[in-house]
Amino acid sequence: MTDMIRASGLVKRYKDVEALAGLDLSVPEGKVLALLGPNGAGKTTAVKCITTLIKPDAGSAEVAGVDVLADPAGVRAKIGLSGQYAAVDEHLTAYENLVMIGRLYHLGKARAQERARELLERSDLTEFADRPAKTYSGGQRRRLDLAGALVAEPPVLVLDEPTTGLDVRSRQQMWDVIKELVAGGATLLLTTQYLEEADRLADDILVIDHGREIAHGTADELKARTGGERIEVVLADLEDREAAVRVLAEVAVDTVRVSDNGRELTAAVSGSATGDLLRVLQGFERETVTVLDVGLRRPTLDDVFMALTGHAAEASDGESDDSEKEMAQ
């Protein structure tokens, strides 16, 4: 299978900050690679290197067989890019925005207008076509931005955190659009810090932190790295927390995790999960621990990230992606 995106040993430094520390990645034709990591992990810097917006200090990259450094104009002809922030002209309508992009791609007036109408319908924006973009909701602006990335019908799409800041309904709509594009044969590099997004959309996931790979595999493969199932408990009384932790520790293969509110406990278990759950329930009865809820679940990508990095996916000690943006300018 041909790799439509390939990067090897990408390094990028901003003064004392090493945003990328030798990153490798590849995306086969027609597949989706999710580049997963917290703010500051280096996701946006990687995207900018691959899409010719900045030059790496070391390493190489190709898009659809075109060398990023040797022929940046050739790369730009092969990609559609939707960045973290919707790049639309607020004073133009959706139709005018898309026609303008088509003309910039030298499609010709008639084809640009035809393509704009096609994409407005595909993006469910037809009823808003003649309204200025400044009147749009966040979800509508993101859909318009994605439509702009599709005007030239590129074989490769790069979406940098496409659903950040969207409500649940708008996020689901974006997921549906992305799935439709991939089903149509598009190759996609997707950056996200939403673990559920990577789980739902990606064929392959590359987890990065501080500019380097820390894990790589399918969602199921990454989940398997954290062991078996989890026992989750919601306490009725905070005073039972210490006793509940002691009981869970008897079956846990790692430290029992306690939520910020102190009422929700999680323990990773191995072997017979149902047997471990029975032991926990017996222990709670022995210690007179009262619970509102208790059950088993499979590990999530949140668990994977916590196990790999020691911190949650939304937290990072590094620079934020906003800082990456500022430094790259």
Side-chain angles (χ1 to χ4, degrees):
M1 188 175 296
T2 303
D3 284 336
M4 292 294 282
I5 303 176
R6 178 180 292 276
S8 178
L10 289 181
V11 174
K12 186 65 182 178
R13 302 181 185 90
Y14 300 106
K15 296 181 180 180
D16 296 330
V17 177
E18 191 171 45
L20 294 177
L23 185 67
D24 300 333
L25 63 84
S26 61
V27 191
E29 185 175 6
K31 299 296 183 181
V32 181
L33 172 68
L35 196 59
L36 178 65
N39 281 335
K43 303 186 304 296
T44 295
T45 300
V47 162
K48 288 182 174 180
C49 288
I50 291 168
T51 58
T52 78
L53 294 178
I54 59 175
K55 290 184 178 180
D57 296 318
S60 62
E62 290 185 355
V63 176
V66 182
D67 189 283
V68 168
L69 295 177
D71 187 7
V75 169
R76 291 171 198 144
K78 301 287 187 180
I79 62 173
L81 170 64
S82 178
Q84 284 189 39
Y85 307 97
V88 299
D89 189 317
E90 294 187 344
H91 301 287
L92 298 181
T93 66
Y95 176 76
E96 291 168 339
N97 265 284
L98 296 178
V99 170
M100 176 185 67
I101 294 171
R103 297 302 298 272
L104 290 172
Y105 273 110
H106 306 291
L107 295 186
K109 183 178 179 180
R111 178 55 182 155
Q113 291 174 337
E114 179 185 17
R115 187 67 178 142
R117 288 190 289 269
E118 291 172 359
L119 289 168
L120 287 169
E121 183 175 357
R122 184 177 193 175
S123 303
D124 196 24
L125 289 170
T126 302
E127 65 178 297
F128 310 108
D130 298 320
R131 282 173 39 189
K134 64 183 178 182
T135 66
Y136 289 8
S137 68
Q140 291 163 350
R141 288 167 63 91
R142 292 302 294 178
R143 295 207 304 277
L144 176 57
D145 186 59
L146 179 56
L150 301 175
V151 167
E153 302 181 82
V156 176
L157 291 173
V158 181
L159 307 184
D160 191 9
E161 300 195 13
T163 64
T164 295
L166 299 186
D167 58 37
V168 174
R169 181 173 179 273
S170 296
R171 183 173 298 150
Q172 183 62 59
Q173 289 176 329
M174 283 294 291
W175 288 350
D176 291 342
V177 172
I178 291 169
K179 288 177 180 177
E180 180 184 341
L181 293 171
V182 175
T187 300
L188 175 60
L189 173 61
L190 168 76
T191 79
T192 182
Q193 55 183 315
Y194 294 127
L195 298 148
E196 181 186 8
E197 188 161 270
D199 201 357
R200 288 198 181 196
L201 299 177
D203 300 294
D204 200 15
I205 299 171
L206 182 65
V207 186
I208 68 171
D209 199 24
H210 295 95
R212 55 175 54 86
E213 175 185 327
I214 59 173
H216 184 199
T218 65
D220 286 341
E221 287 170 347
L222 292 177
K223 290 174 185 178
R225 294 182 59 168
T226 64
E229 295 183 273
R230 269 76 178 133
I231 296 177
E232 291 189 337
V233 176
V234 180
L235 298 175
D237 194 331
L238 274 175
E239 294 182 357
D240 290 335
R241 182 175 57 197
E242 290 186 8
V245 169
R246 286 198 304 272
V247 171
L248 287 168
E250 294 175 2
V251 299
V253 296
D254 202 349
T255 303
V256 177
R257 289 170 53 184
V258 181
S259 67
D260 291 339
N261 64 24
R263 291 182 181 274
E264 298 165 8
L265 313 178
T266 304
V269 297
S270 61
S272 173
T274 53
D276 288 333
L277 178 60
L278 179 59
R279 287 179 59 192
V280 166
L281 293 174
Q282 292 170 339
F284 284 170
E285 184 176 4
R286 181 182 69 246
E287 298 284 348
T288 64
V289 172
T290 304
V291 299
L292 295 176
D293 191 25
V294 61
L296 288 170
R297 68 164 174 80
R298 293 187 64 202
T300 66
L301 284 172
D302 285 292
D303 298 315
V304 173
F305 203 90
M306 179 65 75
L308 292 170
T309 69
H311 58 76
E314 68 274 14
S316 175
D317 295 327
E319 297 289 334
S320 71
D321 280 350
D322 286 340
S323 296
E324 288 177 6
K325 179 184 178 185
E326 293 169 1
M327 289 187 290
Q329 291 175 341

